[in-house]
Amino acid sequence: MSEENNDLMNENEENHETITKVTGMYKDWFLDYASYVILERAVPAIEDGFKPVQRRIMHSMKDLDDGRYNKVANIVGHTMQYHPHGDASIADAMVQIGQKDLLIDTQGNWGNILTGDSAAASRYIEARLSKFALDVVYNPKITEWQASYDGRRKEPINLPVMFPLLLAQGGEGIAVGLSTKILPHNFIELIDASVKHLKGKRFTIYPDFPTAGIADFTDYKDGLRGGKVRVRAKISQLDKNTLVITEIPYSTNTSSLIDSILKANDKGKIKIKKIEDNTAADVEILVHLPSGISPDKTIDALYAFTNCEISISPLGCVIEDNKPLFIGVSEMLRRSTDNTVQLLKSELEIKLGEFEEQWHFASLERIFIENRIYRDIEEEETWEGVIKAIDKGLQPHITHLKRPVTEDDIVRLTEIRIKRISKFDIDKAQQKIDALEDQIAEIKHHLANLIEYAIAYFERLKKDYGEGKERKTEIRIFDDVDVTKVVIRNTKLYVNRAEGFIGTSLRRDEYICDCSDIDDIIVFTKEGKMMVTKVDTKTFIGKDIIHVAVFKKKDKRTIYNMIYRDGKSGPTYVKRFAVTSITRDKEYDLTNGNKNSMLWYFSANPNGEAEVVSVLLRQVGSIKKLKWDIDFADILIKGRASKGNLVTKYAVKKIELKEKGVSTLKPRKIWFDDTVQRLNVDGRGELVGEFRGEDRILIIKQSGIIKTIIPELTTHFDDDMIVMEKWIPKKPISAIYYNGEKELYYVKRFLIENEGKEESFISDHPDSQLEIVSTDWRPMAEVEFTKERGKDRKDNMEVNLEEFIAIKGISALGNQLTKDKINQINLLDSLPYEAPEDTPAQDIEVIDETTVDNDDVNGAKNETESNSKDEDSTQSSNDGEGQTKLF
């Protein structure tokens, strides 16, 4: 073997010796690192609710606490004696604690959770512990200690927090393969829940966010993994062209919220004119709308397409015994409350021991001085002799003591000064002993009744610190927003009827309507074919298109009237049907299915209108009747797959529209669901009434504002609404209000003259306020007078409002109720009255509509419900609805 080969082998052997497998090291080191991040950085401990950095900050603030503010930079520097990480992480953690406004009393610019502005540099801002923190977080006597990371100092293993602090502040962290997200809860509600737990009662707690807003906790699942919280901004209508956002969802800020609104506007999902951010101490974002844009639909669109509604997924994970524990918020509260009870017990036991020691020495001191035992040591020359002499002198008097006398006790007696002995007052000494006995008895009573003591402790916290901590987030169940009904129609739809194409790119062809990029389009052809397809740039449907419109799913009020020829020379049939469910991009044959079938007549009717048409036959053979009328009101509404009713077996020359029809559908029943504060046609909540196209809803607010609106399902209702009912134009509204300018009560009755206008029916003085309002025909009220000094109270006065004042204009002042001072005014039961029947100008025949809808997915048969109507069914003619085609 050559020398070169030998060298190569030696080199390979050396390389082989240097190869080290890292699999084992990787497993050990990665696990160590993951454990460190989970336990020492990201996840809070269940015992006190703190992460390590937060605990060290609080411990450092206690070290430095002298009642005055300290520079945050100084606190951060002091914390670095305990915390092995840099100052930036400590300062950030401290700002987060300070912004929660519970443990730290802040001074300076600590940032703004509403706007997202960051805090000033730590050298400019100051902090000190809050009174609440000093009360519930610290007690060195019951704190377990450990050495700091460098062994130079002692730091707490856990702080003795006697409050469910983790739930009050919330906590969030991401570790290696693990995360936690505990939402903040309400201070007062946590205390109430702790008290209920101590009493053995059930409780339920829900998050409460510092940014307020409205939240739906239906799927909260006690804060466990898999739960979900929907949070919305609080949006109201300032005027017809302006919306105002006054509260925002948790984890957002005004900057991110405005950015999301602008992005949605750029994408064409919503349409806004401009946004103003006037946020300071409170949120105020003004959203200005272009004229003609519905504020109610825009509110829903903001919830659907922007951060005005977000979904938060909680994840309850804490550290217990150096291990991650997945736990719900109710169990967290129970464990925290039980831990507080044990801490209170430890605190009481320590106090008991201290008081018993004080009582023991006070008793020894009294025996020592009162029996002049100090004189027994005058002849002693050694220390041992002194100790023995005192011990011997005490023996006859210590039988009532609770523990033996130790040498340490005797040494303390020798340290008593002569001056104190000379001024010793036996009565005062006994009073001190009696006071100590009372305190010992009290503590023993608390220990014997520990649960009652803990309940009193929580109630004291609520009394001392609960002011101003009421719930900010409104709890409400949300109604889902249908994005297809609130999206802005941001593109235009065109059709080439002859070639059979529809799409948004056919700008040279016939314009049909505005649509959005998420709409479905329904198309009918002359051959009797129907298809529903997604909006696209260009889609082939089939030649000879006769009708195109935006398709509304589950629309049972748009009725299609059709007359068709079966085959090339077959009989002619008439049918009426609704299209409620389909398979997208599938071609449906609305005829009997024979080749060369064609439509003679077609119309789409958004409110079930039934027109009259004339049928003209060709002169063939001995046919006597060549023309007659068909009223579609006589045709039952059936499924789209039905064959229809026979019109004639003979050849049709043409069909003409003779008379436009009126709706054959029953009035639509509308309910109001108070839980979600929305109208619906599904029977949820309280029935408002049956509505035809021209009917309106009457709304009266506590502020004295009155208006009537068309009952659209997208309508939002204000919190101060006190009356909401179907409006009867001839029924008067009666009201008693306090006129702030004249400082008197007035009665008025009026009718609404401007049905589409929002008006105020009380004076605009700031002190004016509405007392009672009634929409009954003959309302009665009772007036209770204020008792004057030295006089008997006047008897209550009953007022028949119908007789008290005639019907006047809405802007009239009204008649003065009384000059006497009024304590309160109550509505009584109204007098009986038979309201006049509302007879329509023309009798409308209402037929029962039975629709057999052969759904292609499940073949189920559905009945067309006459009281169901999609709120978008009354659209402009640009939507292609209400079209009539003659062939």
Side-chain angles (χ1 to χ4, degrees):
M1 187 178 293
S2 66
E3 186 177 346
E4 183 179 348
N5 288 336
N6 287 333
D7 293 340
L8 183 61
M9 289 181 65
N10 291 334
E11 185 179 349
N12 287 337
E13 288 178 2
E14 291 175 3
N15 290 339
H16 181 71
E17 290 174 359
T18 59
I19 293 175
T20 303
K21 292 185 178 181
V22 298
T23 307
M25 288 189 295
Y26 173 79
K27 286 181 178 178
D28 294 340
W29 293 351
F30 183 79
L31 185 60
D32 290 344
Y33 172 70
S35 300
Y36 169 74
V37 174
I38 292 170
L39 299 176
E40 295 296 325
R41 292 176 68 178
V43 184
I46 192 171
E47 289 83 2
D48 58 6
F50 288 123
K51 297 179 185 180
V53 64
Q54 296 171 331
R55 187 179 301 114
R56 288 160 181 155
I57 289 169
M58 297 303 296
H59 176 57
S60 296
M61 291 190 71
K62 180 61 175 173
D63 276 351
L64 297 173
D65 182 56
D66 59 0
R68 297 181 297 174
Y69 287 99
N70 284 289
K71 289 285 185 182
V72 169
N74 292 341
I75 299 172
V76 170
H78 193 274
T79 306
M80 290 179 71
Q81 297 179 90
Y82 304 101
H83 195 64
H85 297 287
D87 58 337
S89 62
I90 299 172
D92 290 343
M94 188 169 178
V95 167
Q96 289 178 13
I97 299 172
Q99 288 179 340
K100 291 170 182 175
D101 195 25
L102 191 61
L103 299 178
I104 298 179
D105 185 4
T106 61
Q107 185 165 271
N109 177 17
W110 280 68
N112 191 328
I113 59 172
L114 300 177
T115 62
D117 294 335
S118 58
S122 56
R123 62 185 178 275
Y124 297 125
I125 57 179
E126 297 179 330
R128 66 182 176 188
L129 290 172
S130 67
K131 291 181 180 179
F132 174 75
L134 291 168
D135 195 349
V136 304
V137 174
Y138 303 101
N139 189 332
K141 296 175 183 177
I142 56 174
T143 302
E144 293 185 39
W145 302 89
Q146 64 183 358
S148 61
Y149 71 96
D150 61 1
R152 287 187 171 92
R153 292 179 174 270
K154 296 288 185 181
E155 65 174 344
I157 297 174
N158 289 300
L159 287 167
V161 177
M162 292 186 282
F163 181 78
L165 192 62
L166 179 57
L167 293 175
Q169 293 193 128
E172 188 172 353
I174 300 175
V176 181
L178 186 70
S179 66
T180 183
K181 194 178 187 72
I182 300 165
L183 302 180
H185 292 68
N186 181 261
F187 182 91
I188 297 173
E189 291 174 7
L190 288 175
I191 291 177
D192 291 341
S194 293
V195 170
K196 285 183 179 179
H197 170 60
L198 293 172
K199 291 181 178 179
K201 298 179 180 179
R202 293 182 179 180
F203 62 88
T204 303
I205 52 174
Y206 293 119
D208 184 26
F209 305 119
T211 55
I214 310 165
D216 184 346
F217 299 113
T218 305
D219 201 25
Y220 183 45
K221 294 183 179 176
D222 204 39
L224 289 166
R225 179 166 42 190
K228 185 178 69 172
V229 175
R230 294 168 62 191
V231 190
R232 286 180 176 177
K234 195 164 192 178
I235 310 174
S236 56
Q237 185 178 340
L238 193 62
D239 54 51
K240 64 179 182 180
N241 290 325
T242 310
L243 302 177
V244 58
I245 301 173
T246 53
E247 297 173 7
I248 60 177
Y250 180 65
S251 77
T252 68
N253 54 61
T254 55
S255 300
S256 63
L257 193 69
I258 291 172
D259 287 344
S260 71
I261 295 173
L262 294 176
K263 287 179 181 177
N265 182 65
D266 294 340
K267 291 179 180 179
K269 302 294 185 183
I270 60 175
K271 190 172 288 187
I272 63 171
K273 191 174 180 181
K274 67 174 181 176
I275 296 181
E276 289 182 62
D277 187 4
N278 299 329
T279 301
D282 298 312
V283 172
E284 185 181 291
I285 301 173
L286 299 180
V287 182
H288 297 276
L289 308 179
S291 58
I293 298 296
S294 166
D296 287 321
K297 284 190 177 181
T298 303
I299 291 175
D300 280 345
L302 288 170
Y303 290 144
F305 302 116
T306 74
N307 286 346
C308 287
E309 178 181 331
I310 64 169
S311 179
I312 302 174
S313 298
L315 176 55
C317 179
V318 293
I319 299 298
E320 184 183 55
D321 297 331
N322 286 324
K323 291 180 291 186
L325 173 68
F326 293 93
I327 189 173
V329 294
S330 296
E331 183 61 22
M332 284 186 204
L333 182 84
R334 281 190 282 268
R335 294 194 182 203
S336 173
T337 304
D338 293 341
N339 183 55
T340 298
V341 172
Q342 292 305 312
L343 291 173
L344 288 170
K345 181 181 179 183
S346 299
E347 193 176 64
L348 287 172
E349 289 173 344
I350 290 173
K351 284 184 179 179
L352 178 62
E354 291 173 346
F355 285 139
E356 286 182 339
E357 277 299 304
Q358 292 177 31
W359 179 88
H360 179 78
F361 187 74
S363 299
L364 274 180
E365 185 182 58
R366 179 183 174 182
I367 294 168
F368 181 72
I369 298 174
E370 187 178 354
N371 294 284
R372 302 173 184 260
I373 296 173
Y374 53 85
R375 289 186 175 180
D376 296 345
I377 65 175
E378 293 176 355
E379 303 298 329
E380 300 294 334
E381 297 180 356
T382 64
W383 179 250
E384 291 78 6
V386 170
I387 298 298
K388 287 181 180 179
I390 295 175
D391 185 34
K392 183 180 178 181
L394 291 174
Q395 289 303 318
H397 311 287
I398 61 173
T399 53
H400 69 288
L401 297 184
K402 297 174 183 176
R403 69 169 177 83
V405 178
T406 65
E407 186 174 338
D408 290 339
D409 294 333
I410 296 173
V411 170
R412 286 186 63 189
L413 289 175
T414 63
E415 294 171 353
I416 299 175
R417 295 183 178 183
I418 298 297
K419 185 177 181 181
R420 185 174 174 186
I421 293 174
S422 64
K423 291 187 176 182
F424 184 75
D425 189 326
I426 294 176
D427 292 336
K428 284 186 178 180
Q430 187 59 46
Q431 288 175 6
K432 179 181 178 181
I433 292 171
D434 292 343
L436 287 169
E437 288 176 348
D438 291 342
Q439 289 174 312
I440 290 169
E442 183 182 10
I443 291 177
K444 287 182 176 180
H445 174 77
H446 291 332
L447 285 169
N449 301 275
L450 191 59
I451 299 301
E452 288 76 8
Y453 178 72
I455 291 172
Y457 169 80
F458 278 111
E459 290 176 344
R460 179 186 67 80
L461 291 182
K462 181 179 177 181
K463 179 182 178 182
D464 291 349
Y465 307 108
E467 186 178 352
K469 290 184 171 61
E470 293 78 15
R471 168 167 283 277
K472 294 182 178 180
T473 303
E474 180 184 348
I475 300 175
R476 186 186 296 177
I477 296 175
F478 294 161
D479 211 6
D480 292 330
V481 177
D482 187 347
V483 296
T484 61
K485 295 175 182 176
V486 299
V487 66
I488 295 296
R489 296 187 168 178
N490 55 2
T491 187
K492 298 181 183 298
L493 181 67
Y494 302 89
V495 62
N496 185 323
R497 296 182 185 274
E499 297 296 327
F501 288 96
I502 65 168
T504 58
S505 62
L506 309 176
R507 291 190 175 89
R508 295 185 178 180
D509 296 307
E510 179 186 348
Y511 165 76
I512 294 297
C513 64
D514 288 346
C515 64
S516 73
D517 51 10
I518 65 172
D519 278 336
D520 287 326
I521 304 300
I522 189 167
V523 187
F524 296 85
T525 67
K526 190 175 181 180
E527 293 181 345
K529 304 293 177 62
M530 179 194 79
M531 181 186 289
V532 175
T533 187
K534 200 79 175 172
V535 167
D536 206 342
T537 53
K538 187 176 182 180
T539 304
F540 179 74
I541 302 296
K543 293 187 177 183
D544 296 323
I545 293 174
I546 60 171
H547 178 71
V548 182
V550 174
F551 176 66
K552 294 181 287 293
K553 192 176 181 181
K554 298 181 182 178
D555 181 10
K556 297 179 181 179
R557 291 188 73 87
T558 297
I559 305 299
Y560 301 96
N561 299 338
M562 187 176 95
I563 300 175
Y564 72 94
R565 184 188 70 203
D566 183 21
K568 186 174 183 179
S569 57
T572 297
Y573 293 90
V574 59
K575 63 191 288 186
R576 302 183 75 201
F577 60 93
V579 179
T580 56
S581 59
I582 48 82
T583 300
R584 188 183 290 146
D585 296 324
K586 177 179 178 179
E587 185 178 77
Y588 293 88
D589 194 339
L590 302 175
T591 70
N592 205 25
N594 293 317
K595 191 176 181 180
N596 295 324
S597 296
M598 65 162 286
L599 300 189
W600 286 116
Y601 177 87
F602 180 87
S603 68
N605 307 281
N607 208 29
E609 291 82 1
E611 63 271 32
V612 178
V613 296
S614 296
V615 180
L616 288 81
L617 303 184
R618 294 185 183 278
Q619 181 65 56
V620 178
S622 58
I623 302 175
K624 294 182 180 179
K625 190 174 182 180
L626 298 177
K627 180 179 179 181
W628 70 93
D629 295 339
I630 293 179
D631 188 348
F632 275 99
D634 298 331
I635 309 299
L636 293 179
I637 300 171
K638 298 183 179 180
R640 62 168 183 267
S642 65
K643 184 177 181 179
N645 296 353
L646 180 66
V647 176
T648 179
K649 296 180 180 179
Y650 300 106
V652 174
K653 180 179 179 181
K654 63 178 180 178
I655 294 177
E656 297 176 339
L657 176 64
K658 181 179 180 181
E659 181 183 326
K660 291 185 177 181
V662 295
S663 175
T664 57
L665 301 182
K666 293 178 181 177
R668 181 174 63 161
K669 289 184 178 180
I670 294 180
W671 287 263
F672 179 72
D673 188 348
D674 187 58
T675 304
V676 296
Q677 292 281 299
R678 300 297 286 269
L679 299 173
N680 68 87
V681 293
D682 306 321
R684 291 181 284 111
E686 184 178 349
L687 180 65
V688 181
E690 299 184 356
F691 290 80
R692 291 192 174 94
E694 69 279 2
D695 292 337
R696 302 174 78 90
I697 287 179
L698 171 68
I699 295 176
I700 303 176
K701 302 180 185 179
Q702 183 62 54
S703 57
I705 299 294
I706 190 167
K707 63 180 178 179
T708 64
I709 62 169
I710 296 172
E712 295 186 1
L713 304 190
T714 55
T715 303
H716 287 255
F717 297 93
D718 295 329
D719 294 336
D720 66 340
M721 178 182 69
I722 55 175
V723 173
M724 194 272 291
E725 62 183 40
K726 183 179 178 181
W727 178 47
I728 301 175
K730 295 181 180 179
K731 188 165 71 167
I733 291 99
S734 306
I736 299 177
Y737 73 98
Y738 179 75
N739 188 303
E741 182 180 358
K742 298 184 179 295
E743 298 183 347
L744 291 169
Y745 288 88
Y746 286 83
V747 181
K748 64 188 299 181
R749 301 181 76 221
F750 59 92
L751 296 173
I752 295 178
E753 300 168 357
N754 304 312
E755 62 182 35
K757 186 179 179 182
E758 184 175 276
E759 297 179 282
S760 175
F761 59 88
I762 66 175
S763 64
D764 57 1
H765 192 275
D767 292 335
S768 296
Q769 60 182 19
L770 178 63
E771 287 296 322
I772 61 169
V773 65
S774 173
T775 56
D776 291 343
W777 289 94
R778 302 180 65 193
M780 295 288 294
E782 180 185 53
V783 179
E784 180 182 309
F785 296 99
T786 302
K787 184 181 182 303
E788 296 183 29
R789 182 177 296 180
K791 296 182 180 180
D792 293 336
R793 186 194 299 272
K794 288 187 63 175
D795 293 337
N796 293 351
M797 177 176 69
E798 288 192 0
V799 182
N800 184 333
L801 301 186
E802 180 190 28
E803 296 176 352
F804 193 86
I805 186 173
I807 296 174
K808 300 182 179 181
I810 192 171
S811 58
L813 178 65
N815 289 357
Q816 182 179 311
L817 177 61
T818 179
K819 291 183 178 179
D820 296 319
K821 290 186 177 180
I822 293 175
N823 185 31
Q824 66 178 19
I825 304 172
N826 304 309
L827 267 177
L828 302 176
D829 292 337
S830 299
L831 298 175
Y833 182 79
E834 189 173 338
E837 294 185 5
D838 186 13
T839 305
Q842 177 183 358
D843 288 336
I844 300 175
E845 182 180 1
V846 178
I847 64 170
D848 291 332
E849 316 139 33
T850 305
T851 302
V852 181
D853 193 355
N854 296 320
D855 185 70
D856 293 272
V857 178
N858 53 26
K861 296 181 179 181
N862 302 317
E863 285 195 352
T864 301
E865 298 178 7
S866 61
N867 62 352
S868 177
K869 176 181 177 183
D870 192 295
E871 64 263 39
D872 284 342
S873 62
T874 55
Q875 294 190 8
S876 66
S877 60
N878 286 341
D879 286 352
E881 298 183 352
Q883 294 181 0
T884 300
K885 297 295 179 183
L886 302 173
F887 312 101

